[in-house]
Amino acid sequence: MPDLESNYNELISRYKEVAVIGSVNGLLQWDMQTIMPPKGSERRSDQLALLAGIAHNRMTSPRIDELLTALEAHSGELPPEEQANIREIRRDQKKAVKVPQDLVEELSRHESVCHEVWVKARAKADFDMFAPYLEKMIALVRRQAECLGYKDTPLDALIDLFEPDATVAVFTKLFDEIKSVSVPLVRKIADAPIKSDRAFLHRDYPIELQRRFGEQVMKSIGFDLDGGRLDVSVHPFCSGGLGDVRITARYNPNAPQQAIFGIIHESGHALYEQGVRADTFGTPLSEALSYGIHESQSRMWENLIARSRAFWTFFLPRLKELFPTQLADASLDKFLLAINHVQPSLIRVEADELTYDLHIIVRFEIERDLFAGKLSVSDLPRAWNRKIEDYLGVVPPDNGREGVLQDVHWSGGMFGYFPSYSLGNIAASQFWSAMKRAMPDLDKQIATGKFSDALTWLRANVHQHGRRWSRDELLQKATGKPLGTADYLQYLTDKYSDLYRL
Ligand code: ZN
């Protein structure tokens, strides 16, 4: 056993170093997006590239492979949690060694160029300007997929980088189920006699008061402000880990709901990070299971909890204390209808809870057809617009700014990422149903501002496990079944039938 133990300890300490490098990288990224002066960007990209290189180098070191091989031969003799760490480190190591250093570097270089061109092309609404760079990006990620290996389509290998064990086939089935319920529901809502009055949400809401409300909510739901911060950035995000989790918000003085729900969304991500076990820190057991499960936590707090009647029964009077004149005529019913307003639109990040998935499905189906060779880059603007019209009933203008050029992901080589957002919605509803079965008075608790039982449940059933289980194992243990759309579709149908009296 001594060999086994010392090998395991060495493996973990090497992995921890890579995790620490990653956390330094995260801090530099946070700085870049919040307070770095504009002239710092050149130095910063050198710093980030150096760190990424060091991390890749350490992860692909032959010593890690040696240690893993020695440990795998006797892995049955180790405690189950250590076995899980070995399995997950091997998963990361395999991915790292399969992609050659020159491709990693070429991808990284092309990401910077492609991103820059995308920013300009979007501003000018000129897809043709972006097309050759996108073409090259797709060629590079195709090469990456060939290195990583896949069974059915190169997109499977790329999806696996964000959502282990998910595939095009898995998402196609889930998304067909969502479409069959969401598309008719959106049409029914458009014809419903109930219309929301949202004028009060466009009055003047001073930013400092919005921030104060955001912090009040953060504290109430269990965000540890001694182990995290709230700052401002152009695109809201959450970064860091246990002990120092940072979230950001973007404030609009005439649309307070954007920052409020943004802060709650990022807090949901942060609570996941703050909920990992301190004694596993720096190992896969302290890391999020996947992008989709991370997103399930943000969407749980943002949508299932914070867009509910129970939540605003408690918080609307508190919001009114800060904005008494702006909200003078906002009853609870009026407020709920306004913050849950369904409106097919062109821009994903502005979409409501119900139509959001349809934006994701459009992107997923386009990526699927692109990697299957059924679409070429020059087909994208038209394919995009056709699908948006089919699923959402709105027609994008031809310029691409409100269409195919709107998202940053493809310019960064992130193909296969979008489905994680919808997987988050599906998993969140599944967790929520299980929470309600375990705690039938959950709504009553929330209506009195008590969130501790909800958070305790999430800590025990999701946060504490990190990458201990696969996604379906985690869901099976927490909710009694593997990932499926039943709870989500029921939730959407019930919610909107009630709101719009369908
Ligand atoms: Zn998120």
Side-chain angles (χ1 to χ4, degrees):
M1 283 298 274
D3 262 8
L4 210 52
E5 203 179 311
S6 75
N7 282 348
Y8 181 78
N9 291 340
E10 186 185 340
L11 178 71
I12 292 299
S13 82
R14 282 173 179 268
Y15 187 81
K16 255 185 199 165
E17 281 179 4
V18 178
V20 170
I21 296 168
S23 72
V24 177
N25 191 305
L27 198 53
L28 289 176
Q29 300 256 13
W30 172 88
D31 175 82
M32 187 167 76
Q33 294 185 56
T34 51
I35 55 173
M36 188 184 79
K39 288 183 179 169
S41 68
E42 212 169 304
R43 284 293 83 68
R44 186 54 43 90
S45 60
D46 289 345
Q47 294 162 345
L48 291 172
L50 179 65
L51 284 179
I54 295 173
H56 185 259
N57 218 305
R58 298 216 170 188
M59 203 58 212
T60 53
S61 131
R63 182 65 185 151
I64 293 219
D65 186 32
E66 248 172 64
L67 290 166
L68 283 167
T69 308
L71 286 161
E72 281 159 351
H74 300 277
S75 121
E77 299 160 39
L78 290 165
E81 292 200 339
E82 295 185 2
Q83 291 181 31
N85 272 333
I86 292 167
R87 178 196 70 216
E88 291 303 303
I89 294 174
R90 175 60 94 187
R91 187 195 284 273
D92 293 352
Q93 183 263 356
K94 256 192 195 162
K95 280 182 187 156
V97 294
K98 278 182 179 168
V99 184
Q101 185 78 23
D102 67 318
L103 180 55
V104 173
E105 283 168 15
E106 203 178 346
L107 261 166
S108 158
R109 268 196 307 276
H110 189 60
E111 270 166 33
S112 313
V113 179
C114 198
H115 179 82
E116 240 177 272
V117 175
W118 168 75
V119 170
K120 286 185 195 141
R122 190 171 76 142
K124 290 187 179 164
D126 183 354
F127 181 77
D128 292 343
M129 178 183 179
F130 182 50
Y133 295 85
L134 182 59
E135 198 112 44
K136 180 170 177 193
M137 181 57 89
I138 293 166
L140 287 171
V141 296
R142 270 184 182 278
R143 261 178 66 200
Q144 187 187 13
E146 295 305 328
C147 297
L148 291 165
Y150 55 85
K151 207 171 105 230
D152 291 334
T153 147
L155 189 55
D156 283 346
L158 303 174
I159 288 174
D160 192 68
L161 296 172
F162 309 108
E163 205 52 50
D165 307 325
T167 58
V168 168
V170 166
F171 283 125
T172 298
K173 178 175 177 294
L174 294 171
F175 290 168
D176 283 349
E177 289 166 12
I178 291 178
K179 265 195 303 195
S180 73
V181 170
S182 292
V183 172
L185 200 51
V186 170
R187 293 207 180 113
K188 260 199 206 165
I189 290 170
D191 297 334
I194 302 238
K195 302 287 172 217
S196 71
D197 168 11
R198 295 181 301 144
F200 69 89
L201 284 178
H202 300 294
R203 292 172 185 151
D204 205 21
Y205 290 82
I207 284 172
E208 173 50 27
L209 295 180
Q210 291 189 35
R211 193 197 59 79
R212 215 185 291 168
F213 182 74
E215 270 199 5
Q216 195 183 328
V217 175
M218 285 165 72
K219 275 187 215 158
S220 303
I221 65 177
F223 187 109
D224 174 11
L225 278 160
D226 288 331
R229 293 177 54 90
L230 168 64
D231 293 279
V232 176
S233 69
V234 180
H235 302 287
F237 65 93
C238 169
S239 75
L242 189 65
D244 187 0
V245 186
R246 306 189 180 198
I247 67 167
T248 63
R250 172 174 55 192
Y251 298 95
N252 179 339
N254 304 113
Q257 71 279 15
Q258 292 176 5
I260 291 172
F261 289 104
I263 288 171
I264 298 170
H265 178 99
E266 300 308 334
S267 294
H269 283 304
L271 290 171
Y272 191 178
E273 296 292 342
Q274 291 187 335
V276 305
R277 268 169 46 193
D279 65 318
T280 62
F281 197 65
T283 75
L285 290 185
S286 74
E287 293 170 351
L289 199 160
S290 70
Y291 283 71
I293 294 298
H294 224 309
E295 202 61 20
S296 78
Q297 298 308 292
S298 55
R299 280 161 199 267
M300 161 74 69
W301 289 98
E302 178 197 354
N303 291 334
L304 291 133
I305 295 178
R307 289 187 200 272
S308 72
R309 177 174 292 274
F311 184 88
W312 290 104
T313 300
F314 180 75
F315 272 115
L316 186 56
R318 280 151 185 86
L319 192 63
K320 283 187 173 188
E321 280 170 23
L322 290 168
F323 304 107
T325 49
Q326 296 91 329
L327 292 169
D329 55 345
S331 66
L332 181 57
D333 280 325
K334 192 170 159 183
F335 187 84
L336 283 174
L337 205 52
I339 59 164
N340 285 299
H341 178 67
V342 174
Q343 174 81 64
S345 63
L346 300 174
I347 308 291
R348 175 184 61 86
V349 295
E350 292 165 9
D352 57 79
E353 188 184 352
L354 178 62
T355 58
Y356 191 91
D357 291 316
L358 298 173
H359 289 271
I360 296 305
I361 293 171
V362 165
R363 287 151 179 78
F364 166 72
E365 291 182 352
I366 285 178
E367 289 182 353
R368 183 186 62 189
D369 293 348
L370 191 63
F371 283 90
K374 291 182 193 159
L375 279 178
S376 67
V377 167
S378 59
D379 298 328
L380 292 182
R382 238 175 316 133
W384 182 288
N385 288 3
R386 208 178 316 123
K387 276 192 190 288
I388 289 283
E389 192 178 352
D390 279 357
Y391 299 159
L392 286 151
V394 285
V395 187
D398 275 338
N399 65 30
R401 194 185 304 156
E402 288 92 20
V404 69
L405 282 172
Q406 68 181 265
D407 290 310
V408 66
H409 302 63
W410 290 346
S411 74
M414 291 165 81
F415 291 86
Y417 183 99
F418 286 115
S420 299
Y421 293 118
S422 287
L423 194 149
N425 286 334
I426 299 169
S429 285
Q430 208 168 313
F431 289 133
W432 180 244
S433 302
M435 280 164 81
K436 285 197 142 179
R437 282 197 301 276
M439 299 175 278
D441 67 337
L442 193 54
D443 275 337
K444 275 198 198 121
Q445 292 187 24
I446 291 172
T448 58
K450 185 171 186 268
F451 298 96
S452 51
D453 284 5
L455 183 57
T456 302
W457 192 95
L458 292 170
R459 290 256 193 274
N461 288 284
V462 184
H463 305 172
Q464 295 266 309
H465 303 297
R467 294 165 64 182
R468 171 77 169 83
W469 314 106
S470 71
R471 182 188 56 250
D472 276 344
E473 284 167 346
L474 181 86
L475 280 157
Q476 183 75 45
K477 284 173 196 293
T479 73
K481 53 190 176 191
L483 186 76
T485 55
D487 290 324
Y488 183 45
L489 298 179
Q490 191 64 52
Y491 158 77
L492 290 176
T493 306
D494 290 349
K495 170 171 179 163
Y496 291 103
S497 302
D498 183 42
L499 269 171
Y500 285 91
R501 300 196 206 127
L502 300 175

